[in-house]
Amino acid sequence: MRLSEAATPDNGKRQFLESIGDFLDKHFSVRFSSDHFSWLDVGTYNSKEIEDESKLDPIEVYDDFFWSMPLYGVKFGDTAPWSFQREPSAIMDENRGVYTIFDTATADIFISDLYYEDFLRRFFEINGIKNYEVEGGIVTSECADFVPIEFLFRDRWLTVNPEHYYLEKGDLC
């Protein structure tokens, strides 16, 4: 499974981003595939990959030089949504949405270190797995029929199906 603990974002790039200002269009789209390749289209969506453009569902992002927005909750399969508790060092909005960046430089899902251990505990509990290991930010466990993970951005759920978030290698996932 490729779920990694996130580091605090590097604000050293802010000066560069400010210098290019409005050059960056604040649009992106995500696509997932079953062959372990996913895309984040930046600037606009790739119309060749869209079957029905009327089903596109825009979500407002922050005006902060990143493709960022609040993450309000997570669901594992059919469980009740899990929301984030206030932490003194967390960057949250007034509704407890955790500041989240869609990063075009990685295909991994990074979870804030403030919630990482709780996320893993809940995930493996729902999937009936008692033993898992985290080494170098990579999580391994026995393989199972993993459930989808859903992320609540604003008022829309983004579903990541199991075939898009884990790799099977031998008897480990």
Side-chain angles (χ1 to χ4, degrees):
M1 174 184 268
R2 296 181 54 97
L3 291 173
S4 300
E5 186 173 10
T8 303
D10 176 13
N11 289 332
K13 298 178 182 86
R14 186 172 183 88
Q15 185 177 6
F16 168 73
L17 293 170
E18 286 174 345
S19 73
I20 59 175
D22 292 333
F23 179 73
L24 297 176
D25 193 359
K26 300 293 287 194
H27 294 90
F28 68 92
S29 63
V30 292
R31 291 179 280 138
F32 301 105
S33 70
S34 59
D35 59 3
H36 299 290
F37 289 97
S38 299
W39 294 268
L40 177 67
D41 294 323
V42 177
T44 188
Y45 59 89
N46 183 344
S47 61
K48 294 177 190 172
E49 300 293 334
I50 305 296
E51 291 179 18
D52 184 354
E53 291 187 41
S54 69
K55 292 185 178 180
L56 291 175
D57 195 9
I59 302 174
E60 183 181 336
V61 296
Y62 290 131
D63 185 19
D64 66 354
F65 305 108
F66 297 102
W67 290 272
S68 61
M69 65 184 68
L71 171 64
Y72 290 111
V74 178
K75 282 191 334 184
F76 303 106
D78 294 329
T79 63
W82 165 51
S83 59
F84 302 99
Q85 299 303 313
R86 280 214 186 274
E87 295 286 340
S89 58
I91 301 172
M92 303 180 103
D93 70 7
E94 65 278 359
N95 297 316
R96 288 198 339 231
V98 175
Y99 181 80
T100 304
I101 296 174
F102 283 82
D103 187 349
T104 60
T106 182
D108 296 339
I109 298 171
F110 292 95
I111 306 297
S112 168
D113 57 350
L114 299 172
Y115 306 103
Y116 187 65
E117 288 181 23
D118 197 24
F119 178 93
L120 290 179
R121 182 189 57 76
R122 291 169 187 263
F123 174 82
F124 285 113
E125 183 178 293
I126 291 301
N127 284 287
I129 295 174
K130 294 184 186 338
N131 298 313
Y132 60 92
E133 186 175 316
V134 181
E135 188 174 323
I138 303 296
V139 182
T140 56
S141 73
E142 63 188 78
C143 294
D145 289 328
F146 294 112
V147 299
I149 303 172
E150 295 185 58
F151 298 94
L152 180 59
F153 293 102
R154 303 232 185 247
D155 61 346
R156 293 166 187 90
W157 288 99
L158 173 65
T159 302
V160 182
N161 289 312
E163 61 269 20
H164 300 139
Y165 68 74
Y166 82 90
L167 297 172
E168 192 169 335
K169 185 146 180 125
D171 60 346
L172 293 177
C173 284

